Amino acid sequence: MYQRIVILTGAGISAESGMKTFRAEDGLWEKHRVEDVATPEGYWRNPELVNEFYNARWRQLQAGIEPNEAHRALARLEQEFEGELLLVTQNIDDLHERGGSRRVLHMHGELVKARCPRTQQVFPLVQPFGPDNLCTCCEPPQVMRPHVVWFGEMPFGLDRIYEALERCDLFLAIGTSGTVYPAAGFVDQANQAGADSVEINLEPSEVHSQFRSHHQGRAGQRVPEVVE
Ligand code: BV8
């Protein structure tokens, strides 16, 4: 059947684990303007606000959030599939890893990591972001920032992603609204490669019409059905 699969996940795959998505009525960006909490300018303008935005999500991640059936089904696929599989996530949570996936490309960074703004060195996040969360790579030590990709910043791993999209025969998007680029443009690249493109989502995404097929519903139910 398929030999080379690229999977893109978004906040919807973590929704059933209790993680807030961005654009739901009680979404992460309902209370904040994107410009204030997910841009470098917003961070340098008001680091306390941005630090609290990420500290709150880190606390949520630590408070007993568990991976769901969708995460576990993708981990089984990674174990059993004999072809090439690239799992790209827009999510900054570590639920794919907790669900058993070993190779996850976090194109928008990771909530469980902190970064030195001067050297760009990355450290595990062991305490909340704030004035005393300092790097150990500089003298004087620098206050660390979240290791996430804000609007206007370059996503991670794009070369690897584009290379995989050019040769894939299946592109599967799960739980993403298709509103943020360049991730929302991946389906177009997969279609140009002649791949089958499948969307699994609770409701049609902004790029719904570009997918060859759709499985509407909750990821926890649909992903195991589609993957197995
Ligand atoms: C960049 C990390 C330069 C931080 C995030 C064209 C080309 C390139 C760039 C742009 C372009 N046009 C505009 C831009 C600029 C900008 C952009 O896209 N702006 C938008 C607003 C128009 N993009 C950037 O700035 C990017 N960088 O462009 O660099 C460049 C130039 C050229 C080529 C390459 C690079 C950087 C963007 C990264 C921003 N960081 N996150 C953090 O997490 O705090 S974005 C964040 O929102 C996510 O990571 C994700 O990417 C995005 C969308 O979120 P989703 O995951 O889709 O979640 P959402 O809530 O929106 O939707 C959830 C979906 O799940 C819904 O559809 C819902 O129905 C569904 N769902 C809910 N429950 C379930 C479910 N589905 C299944 N089961 C359920 N139970």
Side-chain angles (χ1 to χ4, degrees), residues 10-12 15-16 21-24 29 38 53-54 57 90-92 108 148-155 158 162 175-182 200-203 217-219:
E16 287 159 77
T21 63
F22 290 92
R23 286 170 183 79
W29 289 341
F53 179 63
Y54 288 98
R57 290 161 75 184
Q90 300 170 90
N91 300 338
I92 60 174
H108 289 162
V148 297
V149 177
W150 285 321
F151 287 96
E153 294 187 319
M154 187 63 79
L158 287 180
Y162 291 145
T176 179
S177 59
T179 48
V180 171
Y181 288 82
I200 298 179
N201 214 51
L202 201 56
E203 68 216 354
R218 294 191 172 285

Side-chain angles (χ1 to χ4, degrees), residues 11 15 19-31 203:
M19 294 298 287
K20 283 188 173 171
T21 63
F22 290 92
R23 286 170 183 79
E25 51 295 333
D26 65 342
L28 284 163
W29 289 341
E30 281 315 295
K31 289 190 292 297
E203 68 216 354

Side-chain angles (χ1 to χ4, degrees), residues 13-165:
I13 198 170
S14 296
E16 287 159 77
S17 295
M19 294 298 287
K20 283 188 173 171
T21 63
F22 290 92
R23 286 170 183 79
E25 51 295 333
D26 65 342
L28 284 163
W29 289 341
E30 281 315 295
K31 289 190 292 297
H32 298 295
R33 289 177 344 121
V34 165
E35 298 74 15
D36 294 337
V37 291
T39 60
E41 298 75 20
Y43 177 70
W44 298 114
R45 188 168 53 241
N46 185 344
E48 295 75 24
L49 172 70
V50 177
N51 285 339
E52 184 40 36
F53 179 63
Y54 288 98
N55 288 338
R57 290 161 75 184
W58 187 47
R59 285 194 298 272
Q60 194 193 10
L61 206 47
Q62 289 178 304
I65 289 274
E66 288 298 322
N68 62 59
E69 261 320 294
H71 296 109
R72 281 191 279 274
L74 293 184
R76 285 195 295 275
L77 177 69
E78 180 189 75
Q79 300 286 336
E80 292 155 14
F81 180 62
E82 286 165 13
E84 292 169 26
L85 173 67
L86 177 64
L87 173 57
V88 182
T89 187
Q90 300 170 90
N91 300 338
I92 60 174
D93 65 52
D94 60 350
L95 291 174
H96 279 299
E97 290 85 352
R98 294 195 205 182
S101 289
R102 289 199 300 270
R103 291 187 307 280
V104 185
L105 198 166
H106 285 270
M107 67 177 289
H108 289 162
E110 297 178 72
L111 185 52
V112 294
K113 291 182 181 168
R115 188 163 92 227
C116 170
R118 199 176 72 82
T119 65
Q120 306 310 314
Q121 192 170 332
V122 176
F123 299 83
L125 184 62
V126 294
Q127 65 182 88
F129 292 106
D132 51 7
N133 189 342
L134 301 171
C135 76
T136 54
C137 52
C138 301
E139 188 48 52
Q142 304 290 308
V143 174
M144 297 226 270
R145 58 162 281 179
H147 180 52
V148 297
V149 177
W150 285 321
F151 287 96
E153 294 187 319
M154 187 63 79
F156 297 120
L158 287 180
D159 290 346
R160 187 155 159 239
I161 297 167
Y162 291 145
E163 192 257 327
L165 286 168

